[in-house]
Amino acid sequence: MEFTTHDLTEAKRQIDSTLHKLRETIKTLELKEDMNRYKSQITLAKRRVDAFEIANCLIEAELNKRQ
């Protein structure tokens, strides 16, 4: 599938926004007194951060190839 530079740039912008929100969510959940209650949600959010970071790296690599 072919993506324009604009498509990739917009996808990266959206991923960056989602990463910011996920990281803030993790911070909030980890600060709760009953953190163990949220352990699975924290784990899921951290896994999503990892996945989005991989996607971001791949997008950046593609954008750099186009310059």
Side-chain angles (χ1 to χ4, degrees), residues 18-64:
T18 302
L19 277 168
H20 174 75
K21 291 173 187 172
L22 280 169
R23 289 181 178 123
E24 291 301 313
T25 298
I26 291 167
K27 284 181 198 174
T28 299
L29 292 174
E30 288 179 336
L31 290 174
K32 292 201 176 274
E33 278 186 34
D34 52 347
M35 187 182 103
N36 285 334
R37 180 177 174 191
Y38 301 99
K39 191 171 182 176
S40 63
Q41 290 166 296
I42 293 168
T43 300
L44 178 60
K46 287 180 177 180
R47 288 180 181 164
R48 286 180 175 164
V49 166
D50 292 342
F52 280 123
E53 285 177 344
I54 291 168
N56 240 359
C57 285
L58 294 172
I59 291 170
E60 286 175 13
E62 180 62 26
L63 287 170
N64 287 335

